[in-house]
Every structure is written in C-alpha cells, then in structure tokens.
Amino acid sequence: MAQIGLTMEQYRRRIIRRNVVVAVVIALLLAISFVISMNTGFSRLTPLDTIRTLFGGGTEKENMVLFQFRLPRIVLSLLVGAGLGLAGCIIQGVARNPLADPGLLGINAGAGLMVLLFIMLAGAKSTGSIFLLPVLALAGAAVAAVLIYVFAYKRGEGISPLRLILVGIALQAGITSAMTVLVMSLDEAQFDFLVQWQAGSIWGSNWKFVWALLPWLIVLVPYVWSKARMLDALNLGDEVAGGLGARVEKERRSLLMAAVGLAASCVAVSGSISFVGLIAPHLAKMLTGTRHHVLLPISALTGALIVSAADTLGRIVVSPDELPAGLVVAVVGGPYFLYLLIRSGR
C-alpha cells in the first residue's frame, strides 16, 4: 500500500511539473511574441528604441507609435485570444464535441449580424458606441446560441454532437445570407468597417476597445474557472453528472451563455476571428490532458498566443501592408478542422 501511495504521489507530482513547464513555455512564447510585435510595423522601432520609450525616454513620435498604436493592439490581441480560447474550451466541454467552436457554430455570425445592424443605424465612431458594441454583439450571439440549443437538443438524448455542428453550420449560412442582403444598403465608410470586421482585423487599435472588453473578461473568467469541476462532470455524460448531484441542463445553459458572452465580447472589438476556439483547446488537451482546472487556463494562454502571433505575422508577411489576424488564423484553422473532421470519422 505504501508503495502504491508513493507511486501515485510521484505520478501526481510529475503531472504538476509537466503542467507548470507547459504554462511557463507558453508564457515565454507570449513574451517573445510581445517583444517582436512591439518592434513590428510601418514605423520602425529598434529594440533599444522600444526599451527607451517604455522607460520614458522616447521622442514624441516614438511615444505615439508605441503607446497609442502598438501596445493597445498587442494587449487587445492577447485578451481576445484568451477569451476565444476559453469560449471554445467551454463549448467543447458542454457539448462533448471536439469540433465545436464559436465561429463554426454560428455564434460569431449572430454577433456579426448585430454589429452590422448597429453600424447601419449609428456607425461606430463615438466612445459610447464602442462600449455598446459588445452588448449588442452579445444579444445577437445569445439569440444564435438559443436557436442552436433548441434545434440541437433532443429529449432523452440531450445535445447530439453531430446535430450541434449541422445546426450551427446551417444557422451560420442563414445569417451570412441575411448579412449579404443588408450589406447592399451600406455606404462606403460602413462597408469598409464591415469588411475589416469580417476579416478579423484587430482594427480597434486604441485603449477604448481594451477597456470595452476588459470588464467582460473580469466578470466571466472567474465564473468559468469556478465551474471547472462541473465541466469535468459534464464530460462524463449527463447520467454520471446527474448522479454526482449536478443540475445538468441548468449548468449546461449557464456555461453556454458564459461562452457566448466571452466570444461575443471578443469578436465585437476584434472582428470575426474563427478557429481560435477550436485550435486552442485541442493544443491544450494535447499538452495537459482533459482536467478543466488546468485545461481552461492553458486554453486561454494558447488562444492568446495564437491571436498575438497571427496579428504579428500578418504585419510581417506583406509589410508595409497587413494581413488581418483572422485570415492568418483561418489559413491554419481551416485545414486543421478538416483534419479533425476526418480523424473523428463524423
């Protein structure tokens, strides 16, 4: 018995060490991406210029480039990536479907429809509109999520993973068609805004967009973290989770709405960036396993790294022009989704 206890304890410590190493490595990669991104752009800043400016010794132009353009863009990409990674992890856990993702399920499309209606009526220029945009995006995404839940749910079986994907794809196609019709009534400025949003460009490169997103993450991330054990229970199946005392449907709905809130608030300020919620949890599971008390933060870190690296790469590849971060992620995410679809046998 002592030998068995010692072996189990050694195994537990090994798992903890592995998870710590994974978190440290991702954090180091994030730091590297952060440094490269600060020195990447149309206006050239050397690493020494950047360090000098950060400590208050930069010129007026260097201060403007770093503090008014690059830093808010970098911070926004990190927050958006973390939020989308968490949203994808929650949806995959709730639906028990490794192919689930806010973009693929039509949630991003629902948010996009509300963004389109908003810019048709009011534009998105004032400070007030920036803070209102996540709320409206959440409303659109929530309606999409409710429709998906209703049509994918079957009494006695719960949510079918296959139905979830099919309903999401169908809903996304329908919303996209509606948006195509509405686009015809946009003026040139509104059309340019929408194109940037749909491409997933981190177009909100100022601190207003950071402050608009931050409250949503501050509220939702601790709630999601507190539900890590519940996500573990839901992964075991509805009968097992119910046997453990969980109110399965209530918990599933609340977690789904938390994921919708994270996804909608992120895409409202960053544009429609798909596949992050698909890729980040998969990479996190490969590195740390399926326990959500570890999987959630690693998914957030991985998502932050993906969006930050994509935004930085998009500014390097075609410099001095830019590729939107959403397009860079899609180049990898599309084939990765097909690979998962073929491997799953669905």
Side-chain angles (χ1 to χ4, degrees):
M1 291 296 292
Q3 181 64 34
I4 293 175
L6 179 62
T7 302
M8 292 179 64
E9 180 64 19
Q10 288 176 338
Y11 177 76
R12 187 181 69 86
R13 290 179 179 178
R14 184 180 302 171
I15 294 298
I16 292 174
R17 283 197 300 268
R18 183 193 66 184
N19 293 339
V20 170
V21 169
V22 168
V24 170
V25 169
I26 296 176
L28 287 175
L29 292 174
L30 276 170
I32 293 171
S33 176
F34 189 94
V35 171
I36 295 174
S37 187
M38 283 198 299
N39 292 279
T40 301
F42 182 78
S43 298
R44 178 66 178 170
L45 291 180
T46 67
L48 290 178
D49 292 336
T50 302
I51 294 172
R52 188 182 70 253
T53 305
L54 284 173
F55 286 93
T59 65
E60 183 177 351
K61 178 183 177 181
E62 289 170 340
N63 279 306
M64 182 181 68
V65 169
L66 189 61
F67 290 106
Q68 299 303 318
F69 293 103
R70 291 189 186 170
L71 274 180
R73 180 170 183 163
I74 295 168
V75 172
L76 191 65
S77 67
L78 294 174
L79 294 178
V80 165
L84 292 176
L86 276 176
C89 184
I90 297 165
I91 291 175
Q92 289 178 15
V94 167
R96 301 196 305 277
N97 188 337
L99 302 178
D101 167 75
L104 296 173
L105 296 183
I107 293 173
N108 287 6
L113 180 59
M114 288 301 293
V115 170
L116 172 58
L117 293 173
F118 177 68
I119 65 174
M120 286 177 63
L121 298 174
K125 301 298 183 182
S126 67
T127 300
S129 67
I130 293 171
F131 286 87
L132 182 60
L133 208 55
V135 179
L136 296 175
L138 174 61
V143 171
V146 169
L147 291 174
I148 293 168
Y149 186 90
V150 168
F151 288 109
Y153 181 82
K154 188 174 182 179
R155 185 178 294 275
E157 296 182 12
I159 296 179
S160 164
L162 180 58
R163 280 200 305 273
L164 187 74
I165 290 292
L166 294 177
V167 170
I169 292 174
L171 182 65
Q172 184 180 34
I175 294 175
T176 302
S177 299
M179 291 177 67
T180 301
V181 174
L182 293 173
V183 163
M184 297 178 183
S185 63
L186 297 181
D187 60 32
E188 185 177 352
Q190 292 171 333
F191 181 78
D192 290 343
F193 180 91
L194 182 65
V195 168
Q196 290 181 2
W197 190 91
Q198 288 181 320
S201 175
I202 308 293
W203 45 265
S205 55
N206 64 67
W207 292 109
K208 294 176 184 177
F209 288 84
V210 174
W211 296 122
L213 174 60
L214 201 56
W216 295 84
L217 298 182
I218 291 174
V219 171
L220 292 173
V221 169
Y223 171 76
V224 171
W225 171 256
S226 72
K227 294 293 184 178
R229 290 188 177 181
M230 181 55 61
L231 284 165
D232 288 339
L234 291 175
N235 267 345
L236 299 175
D238 291 358
E239 291 185 4
V240 175
L244 294 174
R247 291 180 289 183
V248 174
E249 288 307 316
K250 181 181 178 181
E251 294 291 350
R252 179 180 282 122
R253 285 193 296 268
S254 63
L255 283 165
L256 181 60
M257 290 312 300
V260 168
L262 287 168
S265 58
C266 287
V267 300
V269 298
S270 69
S272 183
I273 301 178
S274 298
F275 296 113
V276 176
L278 174 71
I279 299 173
H282 271 273
L283 294 178
K285 286 176 188 176
M286 290 169 55
L287 295 170
T288 64
T290 59
R291 295 290 300 275
H292 281 85
H293 73 284
V294 177
L295 183 60
L296 286 167
I298 297 300
S299 294
L301 287 173
T302 306
L305 178 60
I306 290 171
V307 177
S308 175
D311 185 50
T312 303
L313 188 62
R315 284 185 279 157
I316 293 174
V317 172
V318 292
S319 180
D321 296 321
E322 297 183 7
L323 286 175
L327 293 181
V328 177
V329 175
V331 168
V332 177
Y336 190 71
F337 173 70
L338 292 176
Y339 162 72
L340 291 175
L341 189 63
I342 293 170
R343 194 182 69 171
S344 68
R346 287 182 171 84

